[in-house]
Amino acid sequence: MERLRSSPLHANVSSALDKHLESIQVVQARRKDEIVSASSRQRHGPPRCQDERVVLALAAALRALCLATRKVRTVLWCAFQMSLPK
């Protein structure tokens, strides 16, 4: 889009994309933690309080990813609209 406009996009576009990428990485890390927790639970018996915290952390990360996705979609739509010829 920057090439179409022949000028750089607003700084909010880059920051929204960075926040979205960061949210994706957090969800990936929380998912890995959940997998490790689930595999250790199978070996060691009944679920523990620790497991609930891992799942809640994953849910919070997914919520943050959802919000970041909405924001980045809006920002990219606005940037696209600004890059269209008039």
Side-chain angles (χ1 to χ4, degrees), residues 50-65:
Q50 179 77 14
D51 296 336
E52 290 179 11
R53 281 185 258 160
V54 170
V55 172
L56 289 175
L58 176 61
L62 284 171
R63 182 175 188 273
L65 177 61

Side-chain angles (χ1 to χ4, degrees), residues 10-30:
H10 196 272
N12 288 347
V13 175
S14 296
S15 65
L17 288 169
D18 291 340
K19 178 74 173 169
H20 188 250
L21 179 61
E22 179 183 319
S23 297
I24 290 170
Q25 292 169 343
V26 169
V27 168
Q28 288 174 336
R30 297 297 174 257

Side-chain angles (χ1 to χ4, degrees), residues 69-84:
T69 301
R70 285 186 203 158
K71 184 174 182 176
V72 81
R73 278 189 354 219
T74 302
V75 166
L76 288 175
W77 182 83
C78 290
F80 174 69
Q81 293 298 318
M82 291 172 51
S83 65
L84 290 175

